[in-house]
Amino acid sequence: MPISSVFSIFKEPKHVSVNYQKLINKYIPVDSVLSHIYLTHVTLVTNRALEIGRRLGMGTDQLRFIEEAAMLHDIGVIYVNAPEIGCSGDLPYIQHIIKGKEMLLAEGLPDHARVAENHIGMGGLAMEEILRKELPLPARDMLCEKLEDKVISYADLFYSKNPARLWIPKTHKQAKAKVEKLGKRQEKLYDKLRKDFGEGI
């Protein structure tokens, strides 16, 4: 057997595409209030994340994963109590990250599930932050470690699901003000990623 064939066994498996629209339609009724808000929000986040990914010179598989994971990152909102965006569940809003992870794990998508959990805030949440703020979440680190995850978390920061501001991206000044309220770790990470991602002054 040629040496090249031997080493090909150990290559990273090629990314298998996920039909994210089919998954979204499975959980969110088409033409519902939530469907409009959800699709607008995740599409805007996805577009910004892909722009950053291309700027960073990411490969096809990385960009495809960013597209899929960004389109699915908020899928857990169907279980939260947020009538203003068409969600009639009974969970606190922050728990959409836990439900989203559970849903995507059940769909056999562990990498996408990871992003559903760690996209919140700026670069995810540390266990210390969850405990200190007494958040209704499991006491564990939910931090972005992979570059693709950081790109999605960063892009998500700029778009709200508030119907009145759905299409209006935050300016860097507004995003920084939001991040400053989250804590020093998030503020430092925001400044670093903004520079690393070539997001301007």
Side-chain angles (χ1 to χ4, degrees):
M1 180 185 290
I3 290 177
S4 60
S5 298
V6 174
F7 282 109
S8 69
I9 297 171
F10 301 100
K11 286 181 181 176
E12 283 287 321
K14 189 169 177 61
H15 179 73
V16 178
S17 295
V18 173
N19 187 337
Y20 53 78
Q21 190 60 60
K22 184 177 178 182
L23 268 182
I24 293 168
N25 292 346
K26 177 178 176 179
Y27 293 106
I28 300 176
V30 177
D31 294 331
S32 63
V33 170
L34 176 58
S35 178
H36 166 69
I37 291 172
Y38 182 91
L39 287 173
T40 302
H41 171 73
V42 297
T43 300
L44 291 169
V45 171
T46 300
N47 286 341
R48 189 168 193 140
L50 288 173
E51 285 177 9
I52 294 169
R54 293 188 191 101
R55 201 180 301 142
L56 295 174
M58 287 185 173
T60 303
D61 284 354
Q62 287 176 295
L63 292 173
R64 180 62 186 174
F65 173 75
I66 283 178
E67 179 183 344
E68 295 168 359
M71 289 297 291
L72 294 169
H73 77 274
D74 270 337
I75 197 71
V77 294
I78 62 170
Y79 290 102
V80 307
N81 181 12
E84 67 279 8
I85 61 171
C87 298
S88 55
D90 55 6
L91 296 179
Y93 183 80
I94 197 170
Q95 289 187 6
H96 79 279
I97 65 174
I98 302 303
K99 296 305 293 186
K101 179 180 182 179
E102 290 174 1
M103 292 165 70
L104 295 177
L105 282 176
E107 295 287 348
L109 301 172
D111 292 331
H112 303 69
R114 182 190 69 238
V115 174
E117 182 179 77
N118 68 23
H119 75 272
I120 200 167
M122 177 67 265
L125 292 166
M127 180 171 70
E128 178 274 327
E129 293 160 357
I130 292 170
L131 294 173
R132 175 166 45 84
K133 297 178 181 179
E134 299 182 339
L135 300 176
L137 296 170
R140 63 171 183 263
D141 284 337
M142 303 178 187
L143 296 167
C144 296
E145 301 292 344
K146 293 182 176 289
L147 179 58
E148 294 91 333
D149 301 20
K150 292 175 184 176
V151 168
I152 294 169
S153 179
Y154 176 90
D156 185 52
L157 183 68
F158 290 88
Y159 299 98
S160 168
K161 285 188 281 297
N162 180 335
R165 295 192 55 83
L166 200 54
W167 290 94
I168 307 171
K170 291 182 180 68
T171 64
H172 280 291
K173 183 177 180 181
Q174 291 169 330
K176 182 68 180 286
K178 179 180 178 180
V179 169
E180 285 173 348
K181 295 176 184 177
L182 299 176
K184 289 293 181 185
R185 178 188 67 80
Q186 291 91 334
E187 185 180 355
K188 261 181 89 173
L189 180 61
Y190 173 80
D191 289 339
K192 181 180 187 308
L193 294 183
R194 183 178 175 187
K195 180 180 178 183
D196 291 349
F197 295 166
E199 281 279 286
I201 299 171

